[in-house]
Amino acid sequence: MEYVILAVVIAVVAVGAIAGLVVSGRRRQQLPPKSQAPVITAPPTPREPAVGEEAAPPTEEPRRTVEEVRLPEAEAEAEAQVAAVPETVPETVEEAPAIEVPEPTAGRLVRLRSRLSRSQNSLGKGLLSLLSREHLDEDTWEEIEETLLTADVGVAPTQELVERLRTRVKVLGTRTPDELRGLLREELVELIGKDSDRTVRSTKHEEGPAVVLVVGVNGVGKTTTTGKLARVLVADGRKVVLGAADTFRAAAADQLQTWGERVGARTVRGPEGGDPASIAFDAVKEGIAEGADTVLVDTAGRLHTKTGLMDELGKVKRVVEKHGPVDEVLLVLDATTGQNGLIQARVFAEVVDITGIVLTKLDGTAKGGIVVAVQRELGVPVKLIGLGEGADDLAPFEPGAFVDALIGD
């Protein structure tokens, strides 16, 4: 019995051993072969040839001659000389603005005649249409008066013109269109004033350059008018200096300087909010030093209702007169403001002696009769008119050319 048990145990052990061998064999077949790590070899280090070995053939090194070998003192001196040479940096040259050549002022109003064509309906063409009626009764003459008043001619000038037209129409009798146009032209030129001196006094005299003050309220285009006037004078051969005495409006000095640079006129300016009288004084002083013909001073666009500001305008004039007389005081008025412009003109005339009037925005929307009204109000002539936004749209006022533009051909 013992032998049987022993035989069974041996058989079980043998079967287990055989099974273990079979399983391990299968696992070996399923496992991937181990990857061998890459072998990094260091570069071979040069070694000296051993005894008995042949040495490598010698390599020839570049050799320098005695002249090429520099001593330490010579190298230091050469480096110092290189360091002493300044590095040249290319300079950026700012190009000066191109100076424009304004067109001559002679006949400029004639060339700008089309700008006044839109005003014909309210004054010139309206009057011609009424005067061309076969029977001129009282109703027609009242319409003529209304046309003149609507065009801002003013009450007194309107009554004067109507009376003169009544008399001449009766004497004329038969009225052809050409006769009526000639009649109306003569009377309008007479009403505006053909004999008035409309020259802007801008010629240098013994005391120094002619001084022109430009005054007016805010928003009438005063600084722009000053710049355009500089172009007019330069076109007539004058050397001009500009004084940016409007220190209250932001960028007014920059605007005036830009106008000056375009025609080669120097601008004297000061800090924003500075003393206008001081800047005007310096501008005239600079004009004397440069031998200029004319100094144009742009004053602040002060409101006519501000008494203190109006007094300051009088101060500017008094300070400038320490150099010499003020030759011109030009009042800039917006032609579209009508009767309000006359109120402004009256107040300014009380502070400074107005010598001439500049009417701006007299193209399209303006009423041509304001020329007559403002002259009658101040007793001074209109010397310049502005007919657009262009740089050369400021023209010397010529009564004949103005009336021709109003009534048409």
Side-chain angles (χ1 to χ4, degrees), residues 88-89 120 134:
T88 58
V89 179
Q120 295 176 11
E134 186 175 354

Side-chain angles (χ1 to χ4, degrees), residues 59-301:
T59 57
E60 294 185 1
E61 296 181 357
R63 298 181 180 182
R64 294 182 295 174
T65 62
V66 175
E67 291 79 3
E68 295 175 342
V69 177
R70 284 191 176 185
L71 297 177
E73 295 81 1
E75 291 183 356
E77 182 180 355
E79 292 178 357
Q81 291 178 355
V82 173
V85 177
E87 184 179 357
T88 58
V89 179
E91 297 181 358
T92 57
V93 180
E94 296 183 359
E95 294 184 2
I99 297 178
E100 301 176 6
V101 180
E103 62 181 64
T105 58
R108 180 178 290 188
L109 184 56
V110 176
R111 294 194 297 273
L112 297 174
R113 180 174 172 175
S114 61
R115 302 291 177 85
L116 290 169
S117 60
R118 297 179 187 176
S119 299
Q120 295 176 11
N121 293 332
S122 61
L123 184 58
K125 287 187 176 179
L127 291 176
L128 281 176
S129 176
L130 292 171
L131 291 172
S132 299
R133 291 180 180 179
E134 186 175 354
H135 300 289
L136 296 178
D137 53 14
E138 289 299 321
D139 292 339
T140 302
W141 287 111
E142 287 182 3
E143 289 185 45
I144 292 174
E145 284 190 10
E146 184 179 352
T147 300
L148 291 169
L149 292 173
T150 304
D152 285 334
V153 173
V155 177
T158 294
Q159 293 175 347
E160 178 183 330
L161 179 59
V162 169
E163 287 301 321
R164 292 175 62 88
L165 287 174
R166 275 177 177 264
T167 302
R168 295 198 61 179
V169 166
K170 288 181 180 179
V171 173
L172 185 63
T174 305
R175 306 177 305 278
T176 65
D178 290 338
E179 290 174 334
L180 283 175
R181 182 174 288 103
L183 170 65
L184 185 59
R185 183 186 188 280
E186 290 178 11
E187 293 301 329
L188 287 175
V189 170
E190 185 69 26
L191 188 66
I192 292 173
K194 60 182 178 181
D195 297 327
S196 300
D197 182 12
R198 302 181 188 277
T199 305
V200 177
R201 292 190 288 272
S202 58
T203 305
K204 182 178 179 181
H205 42 68
E206 293 180 358
E207 292 83 358
V211 179
V212 180
L213 293 184
V214 184
V215 301
V217 300
N218 294 314
V220 296
K222 185 171 45 54
T223 301
T224 300
T225 298
T226 305
K228 290 182 179 181
L229 178 55
R231 295 179 65 88
V232 170
L233 297 177
V234 169
D236 289 340
R238 305 281 195 274
K239 182 178 181 181
V240 179
V241 171
L242 299 173
D246 185 355
T247 60
F248 294 98
R249 185 172 68 87
D254 293 337
Q255 182 183 358
L256 187 64
Q257 184 171 350
T258 300
W259 278 101
E261 289 175 348
R262 293 170 66 178
V263 293
R266 181 173 176 183
T267 302
V268 177
R269 55 185 297 178
E272 185 175 343
D275 183 15
S278 175
I279 297 172
F281 182 87
D282 291 341
V284 178
K285 182 179 179 181
E286 186 67 25
I288 295 174
E290 292 190 4
D293 297 297
T294 314
V295 177
L296 298 178
V297 180
D298 175 32
T299 61

